[in-house]
Amino acid sequence: QVRLTESGGGLVQPGGSLELTCTASGRTISDMGLGWFRQAPGKEREFVATHSRDGQTTMYADSVQGRFTITKDNGRNTVSLQMNRLKPADSAVYYCAADQLYGGQDSRMYDYWGQGIQVTVSS
């Protein structure tokens, strides 16, 4: 069993940066696929970024490519999402997730989820 807890959200101006951190407890996530998803009001949950189980591959949604970076820290048992050049369209509740098999872009494949954290981009 894995418990995931997100931190680092909040209010930021357009063009600013935030780093979200997801801390895992209960077991190591070093051998798990990891992902970040987000959900804006009135919209479905969408894929943001993923870090493969084998640590060799990262993938990003087109909307965040080049602005967001997902990083796994096995020593701290965390996965982070560095978000730069933020836009109002990035405002959402962000969720981290862990998958025992692979990870990827499909939220249905993930076994464990955090409770979510709000990110608001506004002037």
Side-chain angles (χ1 to χ4, degrees):
Q1 190 75 11
V2 178
R3 179 178 178 181
L4 303 174
T5 305
E6 301 95 341
S7 60
L11 174 66
V12 63
Q13 292 187 343
S17 298
L18 277 177
E19 184 177 28
L20 303 181
T21 298
C22 177
T23 303
S25 60
R27 60 153 285 177
T28 179
I29 57 172
S30 62
D31 61 346
M32 302 184 80
L34 302 165
W36 285 95
F37 294 79
R38 66 187 183 187
Q39 187 168 19
K43 295 187 177 181
E44 294 187 354
R45 188 173 298 187
E46 66 174 1
F47 165 74
V48 175
T50 185
H51 194 295
S52 66
R53 179 184 181 188
D54 64 6
Q56 300 300 312
T57 305
T58 57
M59 296 175 59
Y60 299 90
D62 289 344
S63 59
V64 308
Q65 180 75 47
R67 299 189 297 122
F68 290 13
T69 303
I70 185 171
T71 304
K72 185 168 71 169
D73 187 330
N74 291 334
R76 296 174 59 203
N77 217 31
T78 61
V79 57
S80 298
L81 185 69
Q82 177 66 43
M83 305 184 293
N84 298 327
R85 304 198 306 277
L86 283 160
K87 306 174 182 179
D90 295 318
S91 298
V93 176
Y94 283 71
Y95 299 88
C96 68
D99 175 30
Q100 297 185 83
L101 293 179
Y102 176 72
Q105 302 181 49
D106 188 347
S107 63
R108 297 170 298 178
M109 303 303 295
Y110 286 81
D111 304 301
Y112 305 101
W113 291 84
Q115 81 286 354
I117 193 164
Q118 180 70 46
V119 171
T120 302
V121 184
S122 175
S123 55

